[in-house]
Amino acid sequence: MRLPEHRPARPRSRRPLRAALALLLLLFLAAGCGYGSRAPGVAAAPAVGTGPPLSAEEVSVGYFANVTHATALAGVQKGYFTRELGGTRLRTQVFNGGPSALEALNAGAVDIAWMGPSPAVNGFLRSGGRGVRIVSGASSGGVALVVDADTKVRGADVRGLRIATPEAGNTQDVALLHWIREQGWEVDPRTGRGDVTVVRQSPKEIPTSFRRGTIDGAWVPEPVAAQLVAAGGRVLLDESDLWDGGAFVTAVVVVSPSFLADHPDVVEAVLRASVRTNAWLKSHPAQGKQAVNDAIENLTGRPLESGVLDAAWRRVGLTDDPLAATLATEAERADRLGLLHGADGTEDAGALAALRGIFDLRPLNRVLAQRGEPAVDDAGLGVAATPTT
C-alpha cells in the first residue's frame, strides 16, 4: 500500500411530453457513464392504493438504495406512500447519485426526489430558482472518511492517498474538498488532482475499488462507509464531529415547482407518508432496519450484512427538519470551491443570497401541525422570503 508523503501543513401534467422526456433521459444516461455509472438502477412497476386519485393520476418518486434514504425505502416497502396517495399511482425510480436524480427531475422523469443538499442547491441555481424546491428534510449525519486499516496515516493526514467520493459535486464530494482546503492542502475541485487525489466513483463501485486497492479510502454516506469498514477499513473521521451539535443535513426531499403548483395535495400526501414513516422507523428500529434491508435487497439483489446495517443505522439520523442553516453552510462551502453555478452556467458568486426561495416548507409544516408537532425553520431561505414584484 502506498504511504502518504508527509509535509508540514500550510496555514490553513404534461404526461405525453413527460413520458417522451423520460425516455430520452434514460437513453442519454445509459449512453454515457463518465466517472461512474449514472444510469438509474431500478424502475419499479407502479403501485396504487385504494380510493379515488388525488389531483394527479400518477406521481413519480426517486431515491437511492442508501440508508440515508431510509424514509423512502421503508415508506415504499411498508405501503405508507400508497396509503396516503389513495388512487394516485406511485411510480418509483432508484438512482446512483444526486446529479442524475436532478437531471431526471429537470426532465420531468420524476416529480419528487430524495437527494443530497449539494445537487439540490446546484439545481436551484442553474434553473434560476425555477427548477427545484426543497419541501422536507430526510436524514442527518451518516457520513465518514474511511481508509484502509493497513495504510499508515499520521493523525488525519491523507496527503498522497486516493480518496473516493460518490460523484463530482455531490454532497460528500463538497464536504471532502472543503475539509482538504481547511487542512491547508491543495486539490483542484474540477480534476480532483493535488495533495490528495479525489476519485469520483459510483457508490456501487467504491467497495470493489477499495478491496482491490485502487483507492485508499473514501468519504461516503452509509451504508458504504460501514461496507468499507467490513472490508478492512477504519473510520478516520466521522463528519458529524465537524459540525456544532453533530447534526448536518445529508438528504432532503425536493419537488419540481411546477408539480408543486399543479398538485399541492399530492405533494402533501407524500410528505404525510414521509413523516409517518420517520415516526415508525424511530419507534420500531428493529422492524425499520429490516424493512430498509428488504427494500435494498429488492432493489440491488443483495441485502446488507447485519453488522454493516447495524453500524450504518447507528450513524444515520432520520429527520423531517431539513436543517436549513446547515444547508446554507454547505452551499457557501461549495460556492467557495467554485462548484456552484448560476442559470448561465457561470460560477455563482454570492450564491447564498441567490438561494432565497429554495425552500417551501409550508406543506410540511401543515402536516406537522396536523400531528401537533412544531414547525420547522427555513433559515430565511423560504419562498416567503423571496421579494415580491
Side-chain angles (χ1 to χ4, degrees), residues 26-118:
L26 296 179
L27 291 172
F28 170 77
L29 290 176
C33 294
Y35 42 74
S37 174
R38 295 176 61 184
V42 178
V48 64
T50 59
L54 301 176
S55 65
E57 293 289 332
E58 177 180 291
V59 60
S60 180
V61 176
Y63 49 90
F64 311 164
N66 283 355
V67 177
T68 51
H69 290 206
T71 310
L73 292 168
V76 171
Q77 181 78 10
K78 299 296 290 184
Y80 280 99
F81 288 90
T82 50
R83 283 198 290 274
E84 292 295 340
L85 288 166
T88 294
R89 290 187 303 275
L90 171 68
R91 288 187 179 272
T92 58
Q93 181 71 56
V94 176
F95 295 92
N96 288 334
S100 51
L102 179 64
E103 288 178 40
L105 189 79
N106 289 338
V110 295
D111 306 305
I112 301 172
W114 270 246
M115 67 175 61
S118 287

Side-chain angles (χ1 to χ4, degrees), residues 42-337:
V42 178
V48 64
T50 59
L54 301 176
S55 65
E57 293 289 332
E58 177 180 291
V59 60
S60 180
V61 176
Y63 49 90
F64 311 164
N66 283 355
V67 177
T68 51
H69 290 206
T71 310
L73 292 168
V76 171
Q77 181 78 10
K78 299 296 290 184
Y80 280 99
F81 288 90
T82 50
R83 283 198 290 274
E84 292 295 340
L85 288 166
T88 294
R89 290 187 303 275
L90 171 68
R91 288 187 179 272
T92 58
Q93 181 71 56
V94 176
F95 295 92
N96 288 334
S100 51
L102 179 64
E103 288 178 40
L105 189 79
N106 289 338
V110 295
D111 306 305
I112 301 172
W114 270 246
M115 67 175 61
S118 287
V121 165
N122 250 324
F124 181 83
L125 293 176
R126 283 182 182 274
S127 66
R130 294 182 296 274
V132 171
R133 291 289 181 274
I134 298 174
V135 291
S136 178
S139 63
S140 167
V143 180
L145 170 59
V146 180
V147 298
D148 190 311
D150 293 332
T151 301
K152 298 279 193 284
V153 176
R154 185 182 306 156
D157 192 339
V158 295
R159 283 176 292 176
L161 298 187
R162 300 155 297 180
I163 305 297
T165 63
E167 202 161 6
N170 98 317
T171 306
Q172 288 76 49
D173 191 63
V174 170
L176 171 61
L177 292 169
H178 168 76
W179 178 77
I180 287 172
R181 184 168 289 186
E182 288 288 293
Q183 311 315 304
W185 309 331
E186 296 293 336
V187 169
D188 186 315
R190 308 288 183 184
T191 66
R193 293 192 292 268
D195 292 331
V196 180
T197 299
V198 180
V199 181
R200 280 72 180 239
Q201 288 191 329
S202 162
K204 293 194 298 186
E205 298 170 348
I206 288 174
T208 300
S209 297
F210 185 75
R211 286 191 294 269
R212 290 176 176 171
T214 57
I215 59 173
D216 303 305
W219 190 297
V220 281
E222 296 294 358
V224 182
Q227 289 173 327
L228 298 187
V229 171
R234 64 186 178 94
V235 174
L236 191 67
L237 180 68
D238 188 321
E239 190 179 341
S240 294
D241 294 336
L242 303 179
W243 292 84
D244 290 340
F248 64 99
V249 62
T250 306
V252 294
V253 184
V254 305
V255 63
S256 156
S258 61
F259 189 85
L260 176 59
D262 293 342
H263 306 291
D265 58 330
V266 178
V267 174
E268 199 162 316
V270 169
L271 294 179
R272 279 198 305 272
S274 177
V275 170
R276 289 183 176 178
T277 302
N278 276 345
W280 179 77
L281 287 169
K282 292 173 184 177
S283 61
H284 300 80
Q287 297 97 314
K289 280 194 295 184
Q290 188 60 54
V292 169
N293 213 16
D294 289 344
I296 290 174
E297 181 178 13
N298 290 341
L299 295 169
T300 67
R302 271 172 72 175
L304 297 175
E305 297 176 5
S306 59
V308 168
L309 180 60
D310 289 343
W313 200 262
R314 285 194 299 270
R315 290 196 185 99
V316 175
L318 301 175
T319 177
D320 305 312
D321 188 341
L323 302 170
T326 67
L327 179 137
T329 297
E330 292 182 2
E332 288 178 311
R333 292 172 177 177
D335 192 28
R336 288 196 295 270
L337 289 163

